[in-house]
Amino acid sequence: MTDTVDTGPMRAADGTPLKVSLARALRRQKIRALALVAPLLIFVLVTFIAPIADMLFRSVENQIVHDTLPNTVRALADWDPSSAETPGEPVYAGLAIDLQTAAEMKAHTRLGSRLNYEDPGISSLFRQSGRNVDDFGKAAMKELVAADPAWKDGATWGNLLGTDKWVEAQTAWGADKTGLQPAFKARSGVAGTLPRTLGAYALFAADARESGRKSALESKPWPALATALEQDLRAAAPESLSALEGIDTALLARTRDAVDAAAPVDYRADFLAMDKDWASPDVWRTIRVFSPQYTAGYFLNSIDLEKTYEGITKRPPEERIYVTLFVRTLWMSMLITFCCLLLGYPVAWLLANLRASTANVLMILVLLPFWTSLLVRTSAWKVLLQQQGVINDLLVWLGLVDDGHRLAMINNQFGTIIAMTHILLPFMILPLYSVMKTIPPSFLRAARSLGATPWTAFWRVYFPQSVPGIGAGSILCFILAIGYYITPELVGGTQGVFISNRIAFHISSSLNWGLAAALGTILLAAVLLLYYVYDKIVGIDNVKLG
Amino acid sequence: MDSRTGGDAAFVAFEHVQKSYDGETLVVKDLNLAISKGEFLTMLGPSGSGKTTCLMMLAGFETATHGEIKLNGRPINNIPPHKRGIGMVFQNYALFPHMTVAENLAFPLEVRDIGKSDREAKVKRALDMVQMGNLGGRRPAQLSGGQQQRVALARALVFEPELVLMDEPLGALDKQLREHMQFEITRLAHDLGITTVYVTHDQTEALTMSDNIAVFDDGRIQQLAPPTVLYEQPMNSFVAQFIGENNTLLGTVKEIRGDLAVVELDDGELIDCKPVNVSKAGERTKVSIRPERVEFNKARLKPGAHTLKAEVLEFIYMGDIFRTRLRVAGNDDFVVKTRNAPDQVRLQPGQQIEIGWLPQDCRALDA
């Protein structure tokens, strides 16, 4: 043995610092541990964290209006929504381009559905207008082709708006058509002079790239491009057009002259002719209010408010349902949890204190419903509780209830509470049991030997020690209850349904996923809040599952 | 058997008590026991001997299947535990984990509706009594095993019961602490003049602490006697085996002459014994001799006393004593203990010696 005299860091036998050596020694273990948990970690990330993050995002996301109607939204910014007037011509002109491109990409119906959540009826307006809106484009295209037939050719548009490199690459792709078309790159300077055309063409090129059959240069140009170019040419100063480099400026100048010579299109009048609803300021208000990329609208809907141009207002009374549902879900979940506790505590006590053989039989009785299909159990309650069901028949037979006044015990809140208490009971009993199992019987004996009556011994000594089990069971039951869906759906009728039934409705029937996400987020937040409150009052350390 | 039947003088009395859990076997068989006031009685026995059941019947947690238990002359069979006013210390202390030490001690006073100031004074006095005065605010989990033990003791005493039951209270402590607590408990019991019934399976504990020891086996009291009597004059071979170390030789009674019995061992040798559990010649007997009463220095034996040949098998040096294992009359586990005195002989393995003893130290017991 040699004594080390250096005062530096502790070193291992081979001279490396002890910390480095230790880290190296533990690294393998750490990697192995990580590898062992990796499948679960990935599973949880993919199936749990990611969906929750996506849900949280969906509850505020609102890019569809901004992305589908870029020109309209831009022009609409100048309009005063409180006026009774419809917006000016630029808005309609923008809409003519946007709606055409949207119709080409079949996006207008989706947009219509989105706005329909806020203003019912708007979706048919979008659907019908989308059908005829390319009339604008066809007329404009005719005009352009009259000025120069080259506009019929996709290559003309590509040369005008894309970089030379992109056109080259695109031509090369057209020769063998393997792989993905090169992504569109805008020619410099065009964005300032021909913004609408460029915007529409970017969508056109992306659409061609996605379909993948024909090169953007070979595809038939969208009529929307003609509308956009016509508007751009009217708006652009002649000198800015001729200043563009690398393109056929003569073609542009020629076309511009032809466009100028023709009478300007009255987009507003044409849209009103298409559908008189375009004259309604309400439609434009809706579009304007929901034009930002992110919105609190879904959350406001979730608490029976709505977002209008005047700010946040209450929904009309007949449309207020969610607050009621949230409150109902919360108090019924609490009631169900309480019922579970009331019924489960004595059972858990018996389980923990009976002889092992008897306790095992009882445990199987507790677990048996647990192993039975949820649907079977719920259906069984239907059989028992319905007006012509077992319990009513029995009560009538006993003469306790008149045959004409059978009790309504199902398809209402009573039914939901009964069935859910039954279903969630094991979740209360099991944590209670595992905690009670750890309380030695000598505590009760000690209390009694010290002079406490059986009740005092229970209340002062046994009960406080079972509180962690009560906490665990209650949290488990409550959280399960608050998100329960199938049972309330089957036995709840209209008065006994929970917020989760509404969420399911929006997910699968109305397809308003944003609202469903907002409702879900609120539910999640409510649970987390209750959890926090519970932690503050009882202390989460006081929760024991065994 | 030496069981006394409880008269009016007895503070605690078991009268013909039987206990069965399953209706088929008796755990306690016809128990008669009287404990006088202020006595420290230990119930000693192997596990399953019925001692804890007796304690639980006395505390009221088990009911006697037959017979009567009296406390202060009053039958208590039908009085629930909380009305018996008996203090009890449990094996694992059973301190309430959600209460502080002081709250634990105040509990029996609270349920007795004792006023707050009175209560506090009593709690303080009880804590001081076990030298825990400054730890009243702690939780049981923050205390060491010995401290928990003291609190449990204080809690059993704080409401001033006349009878305290202790169910193997020192089982979880290490040796040194256990010895210290043994002393503390006996001191407290005597100072306060409380009657104590103490259950243990540790014979040393029983011998050092008790006024009287009741040795349990097979649901019966095998012997009830003060420690010295129990050790030196065991009444049957179970007690002789169970208490202390013991050498056993098997043989047949040859003849009994008053206070002396001659026993022929199985290998034909004759020895002198004191007849205890044998009455006539021809009976099989187990002869019991304590290891420290065996003598191999002939000078110290009575002239004419029977001696036995022995071969030394092993010599173990234990510091204060020497433990020598011998082969005697075919028994390889015959042990002799000698004091480590300057003039003491240290026997060598293989050595052939002769051993003997005073007849009164050698007891002929039941086979």
Side-chain angles (χ1 to χ4, degrees), chain A residues 449-468:
Chain A
S449 81
L450 294 170
T453 59
W455 169 252
T456 314
F458 166 77
W459 184 246
R460 295 278 315 273
V461 174
Y462 196 86
F463 182 79
Q465 294 188 66
S466 67
V467 163

Side-chain angles (χ1 to χ4, degrees), chain B residues 153-225:
Chain B
L153 193 61
R155 191 180 63 175
L157 297 174
V158 71
F159 60 98
E160 292 156 17
E162 292 184 295
L163 175 63
V164 173
L165 312 181
M166 302 192 191
D167 184 11
E168 307 209 15
L170 304 179
L173 302 182
D174 59 49
K175 189 168 172 288
Q176 268 197 328
L177 203 53
R178 197 158 62 216
E179 280 166 8
H180 182 70
M181 286 306 297
Q182 285 169 9
F183 169 73
E184 292 254 316
I185 290 173
T186 33
R187 182 184 60 83
L188 272 173
H190 285 135
D191 286 359
L192 300 171
I194 334 164
T195 313
T196 312
V197 179
Y198 190 99
V199 163
T200 183
H201 62 263
D202 182 335
Q203 39 138 326
T204 327
E205 211 167 278
L207 289 173
T208 52
M209 296 173 80
S210 322
D211 296 329
N212 271 311
I213 301 174
V215 181
F216 275 71
D217 186 48
D218 194 28
R220 291 179 195 281
I221 295 180
Q222 301 291 334
Q223 187 170 359
L224 174 65

Side-chain angles (χ1 to χ4, degrees), chain A residues 443 445 448 450 452 460, chain B residues 61 82 86 95 98 110 112:
Chain A
F443 283 138
R445 288 185 162 182
R448 297 202 60 196
L450 294 170
R460 295 278 315 273
Chain B
F61 299 125
H82 61 275
I86 300 175
L95 296 177
H98 57 290
E110 268 173 56
R112 284 179 170 74

